[in-house]
Amino acid sequence: MADLYISKLSNNNNNSMNNLESYPPVLRHLDQQQHPPPPPNPDPNGEFQDPDPVPIIDLECLQHDKLEEACKNWGLFRLVNHGVPLTLLKELQEVAKELFALSFEAKEGACSGSPVTYFWGTPALTPSGTVLTRSPQNMNWVEGFDVPLSQLSHFNPQLPTLESVRVLLMEYEKHLSRIGIRLFEAMAKNLELNIKRSKEYIAEKSGMVRVYRYPNCPDTNVGLGMEAHTDSSVMSILNQGDEVGGLQLLKHHQWLNVKPIPNTLIVNLGDMMQAISNDRYKSVMHRVSINKHKERISLCYFVFPGEEVVIESSKYKPFTYNEFRSQVQEDIKALGHKVGLTRFHHNQALLL
């Protein structure tokens, strides 16, 4: 992104986040061409279908048949009446903006030696927070914070903004944990899973939150905010705000934009849920595109099984989440991308 353009954008939008020093160095010069400033009032909803086709699930009046259809045919749905206070959702968005507006050096230094990892250019990290791969040819236009919720109480950040994030996330985790358990219990009932066994698939205090910022760029051909992938989780619950789109899911071989709607959450199923359901439910392929005019802030809560819980189904060899994660990391290092569930499929040779 050209220095001149970022300067103009900052002045036009009065947005302190769009300053060059706040971006990781590798993301400061992805686009060296000069571009005119954006139109005064770009239509934020011009790229979305109307009416919105994404299935809606009401957590307050949960209908198991609608949930079943969404899990089988979409692997993603919009959650309403979720019980998370709207003020908390907005506060998280605002404090995340303040956090990302800090200089790159301040953000990097604040997480040094802590359980929270600051990353950029790739979402692929080891459990300890080490970046697996980050190359100019495979650059994701994203920066973020990886927050293991089990260690939040032991995290004592020196930056006031990061402390504000910590306090809000501790409250947020209570709500998201409740939502994850409620949804999984409903899915387990639909799948007729053994109730005692199914509780092992949602590990207590194993959740993780990632806070993302995707810079904007007039030339959206420079790349993607996040490349196409499936999540390795049981499910992922996304707070994407109510203004800036970018999330896309693959449906019938076409990319469908997921509209940001106030006071709703987006839930997508991950690889573990697909395996648990014996492929009845879908781990949805999704990605994040770059917005021309505004940067995007989102927070994603990931639900995982216990690391040593064995996942068994007729289509896959028995495996633990720990084994799955290790295999994913090996593939990313060796191949540059995730292979995922195919590695554990009984017909792996035919699928690769």
Side-chain angles (χ1 to χ4, degrees), residues 328-343:
V328 167
Q329 292 172 4
E330 286 180 23
D331 287 332
I332 290 175
K333 289 178 182 177
L335 306 173
H337 62 87
K338 170 184 170 180
V339 176
L341 281 175
T342 303
R343 287 288 191 203

Side-chain angles (χ1 to χ4, degrees), residues 4 25 72 74 86 101 122 147 206 229 231 269-270 274 292-293 296 298 322 337:
L4 176 62
K72 284 177 65 175
W74 285 77
L86 180 58
T122 177
V147 186
S206 72
H229 66 286
D231 290 346
L269 304 187
Q274 180 169 325
K292 286 185 178 182
H293 309 300
R296 169 185 168 90
S298 66
N322 197 33
H337 62 87

Side-chain angles (χ1 to χ4, degrees), residues 46-61:
E47 66 209 78
F48 304 110
Q49 294 185 28
D50 193 19
D52 181 43
V54 174
I56 297 174
I57 299 298
D58 187 331
L59 192 64
E60 205 170 79
C61 305

